[in-house]
Amino acid sequence: MVDLRGKYVHGAKRVVVKIGSRVLSSERGLHSRRIGRLVRELAALHDQGKKLVVVSSGAIASGISRLGLAKRPTDLPQEQALAAVGQIRLMALYENSFAGYGKHVGQVLLTHEDLANRKRYLNAKHTLKTLLDWDIIPIVNENDTVAVEEVKFGDNDQLSALVATLMEMDLLVILSDVDGVYDRDPRSSDEARLMPVVTDLATAKKVAQDAQPSDLGRGGMYSKLCAAEQASQAGIPTVIASGREREVLNGLFESGRESGTLVLPEENRLTSRKHWILYNLKPSGAVMVDNGACAAVTARGKSLLPSGVREIRGSFGAGECVSCVDDSGREFARGLVNYSSQELHKIKGSHSGKIEAILGYKAYDEIIHRDDLVLV
């Protein structure tokens, strides 16, 4: 039998560690002792020569306790203000704790918009690479103070997967308040069993989908499995484990210990560009296509041509990301469109050879080239 932990975990040299709100905090505020314990484990891994990036939640929870609020508010400006107050305290704890082991840290605040813009995406990559080259441990968090959607819908599970992909890391570790992934909801079934390895990600996601996040965090196991899926499609394995377990990080890299759940990487990984299109970009509109065009894209790996386009939804420019939708309204692909929505209204349903006659020019034969097209 293949030693999956030995193959994918024990030898990992470049690791992203995501630490969730429910690990770092409670209604009473940040767990400074737990942060200190996790920092001690991280410092030990760093001493072993591992390159580490820490993606840390906890800013809003820290702000709640610092200002003495009874619960997390739902008003967006208040959440943003809490993040501004709490992030200072969170980083101070990290900096002071790591300094005790002679380690330097750097704060990196990101939004999905930073990773959706190709130039800013590469700038973030270069910054993080430089920090790692200098043996500095980056502490990454979403910039909740200004990022509307990140505070409203997001959590750092998705960000941790994007950072792992951005930096082409060997392993993603997601620390939560649960031991790992169960075959059924452990809160409602005494027969629930922890899975050491996820072999059927779709089924595991379905089991976890009804799990409700706490008031402090925005995630839940479903979010963590979605993040693991993102990493998996980039060829990166993920371990989901309990951040409340002592020596959890050191134990992950020891032979004979199997803390948490391992999610295996896809063998047929997406290219870096297609992964960026699928997970970093948000569609500005959609094109509805006929069955023939859908089959050509999904079954035969073809580009999307104007002859197969039936309807245009939304307003977008050339080069933006759009969804490809079939007759039933299901999104089956996503890609970078070569023509604007106004141009597509004119050339939809037409043969590529007629584009120049209709528009007066022809930039491309394809609406979306297969190199810029990824199946959902």
Side-chain angles (χ1 to χ4, degrees):
M1 180 180 294
V2 177
D3 179 8
L4 296 175
R5 295 279 175 151
K7 180 179 180 180
Y8 293 113
V9 178
H10 296 159
K13 296 296 185 183
R14 295 165 56 83
V15 184
V16 171
V17 179
K18 185 267 179 176
I19 308 175
S21 292
R22 283 172 281 178
V23 174
L24 297 179
S25 56
S26 69
E27 290 79 3
R28 294 188 298 273
L30 291 175
H31 287 296
S32 56
R33 288 187 179 180
R34 186 172 291 158
I35 292 175
R37 188 258 299 169
L38 288 170
V39 165
R40 175 175 55 78
E41 295 182 37
L42 288 164
L45 294 178
H46 194 260
D47 285 338
Q48 297 171 22
K50 297 187 187 300
K51 299 290 186 180
L52 302 175
V53 177
V54 177
V55 177
S56 177
S57 302
I60 293 177
S62 173
I64 290 173
S65 64
R66 195 167 183 83
L67 297 182
L69 301 184
K71 62 179 180 178
R72 178 173 181 150
T74 57
D75 178 74
L76 178 60
Q78 290 183 14
E79 284 192 322
Q80 292 174 320
L82 286 172
V85 172
Q87 183 67 23
I88 296 174
R89 172 62 174 160
L90 181 65
M91 280 305 301
L93 281 172
Y94 274 121
E95 183 176 35
N96 292 334
S97 297
F98 273 110
Y101 300 95
K103 308 295 182 183
H104 296 291
V105 299
Q107 176 179 260
V108 179
L109 298 178
L110 296 171
T111 68
H112 282 294
E113 186 178 5
D114 293 322
L115 300 181
N117 180 285
R118 192 65 178 175
K119 183 175 181 180
R120 287 156 68 179
Y121 175 90
L122 294 174
N123 284 340
K125 181 173 186 174
H126 295 154
T127 298
L128 288 168
K129 181 181 183 303
T130 301
L131 289 171
L132 293 179
D133 288 344
W134 288 354
D135 260 351
I136 296 172
I137 300 173
I139 310 294
V140 181
N141 199 356
E142 286 184 322
N143 194 354
D144 290 339
T145 303
V146 298
V148 175
E149 291 190 32
E150 284 66 29
V151 175
K152 182 179 180 181
F153 108 128
D155 53 65
N156 280 343
D157 295 327
Q158 312 308 314
L159 180 59
S160 68
L162 294 175
V163 169
T165 304
L166 171 74
M167 298 305 296
E168 300 174 347
M169 304 298 271
D170 299 327
L171 177 68
L172 170 62
V173 177
I174 298 178
L175 297 182
S176 183
D177 60 340
V178 294
D179 296 331
V181 183
Y182 285 81
D183 59 0
R184 63 197 73 184
D185 191 344
R187 297 173 302 175
S188 58
S189 174
D190 293 335
E191 298 180 356
R193 296 293 180 266
L194 180 69
M195 296 189 292
V197 179
V198 170
T199 56
D200 185 346
L201 189 54
T203 299
K205 286 172 62 180
K206 185 176 181 180
V207 170
Q209 195 162 15
D210 293 334
Q212 296 297 321
S214 71
D215 290 336
L216 287 173
R218 291 297 200 186
M221 187 52 66
Y222 179 74
S223 172
K224 289 162 182 54
L225 288 170
C226 287
E229 183 177 45
Q230 290 185 32
S232 175
Q233 292 197 13
I236 301 171
T238 299
V239 173
I240 301 172
S242 173
R244 297 179 179 180
E245 177 187 335
R246 290 186 175 277
E247 302 299 326
V248 61
L249 290 173
N250 293 322
L252 288 177
F253 298 96
E254 292 179 5
S255 299
R257 290 186 60 175
E258 290 195 352
S259 298
T261 299
L262 172 63
V263 181
L264 302 177
E266 289 282 350
E267 293 184 4
N268 299 318
R269 56 176 293 179
L270 293 174
T271 65
S272 176
R273 181 172 179 80
K274 289 194 174 186
H275 195 280
W276 175 72
I277 291 171
L278 180 58
Y279 290 114
N280 291 70
L281 304 184
K282 296 182 180 180
S284 301
V287 292
M288 177 174 282
V289 307
D290 59 32
N291 291 332
C294 180
V297 169
T298 58
R300 300 195 297 277
K302 299 295 185 179
S303 301
L304 179 62
L305 302 176
S307 58
V309 177
R310 299 179 56 186
E311 183 182 340
I312 311 301
R313 298 176 181 174
S315 178
F316 48 84
E320 293 191 49
C321 180
V322 299
S323 296
C324 299
V325 181
D326 63 17
D327 280 338
S328 67
R330 177 185 65 91
E331 182 188 31
F332 64 89
R334 194 172 292 181
L336 304 181
V337 67
N338 288 327
Y339 292 93
S340 69
S341 54
Q342 291 182 333
E343 292 168 322
L344 289 181
H345 277 295
K346 299 177 182 178
I347 63 175
K348 65 181 181 181
S350 302
H351 190 275
S352 296
K354 296 183 179 180
I355 293 177
E356 186 170 3
I358 296 172
L359 296 180
Y361 53 87
K362 182 172 73 171
Y364 302 91
D365 286 331
E366 308 88 3
I367 299 299
I368 305 177
H369 192 275
R370 64 183 180 183
D371 291 343
D372 294 327
L373 190 62
V374 56
L375 300 182
V376 175

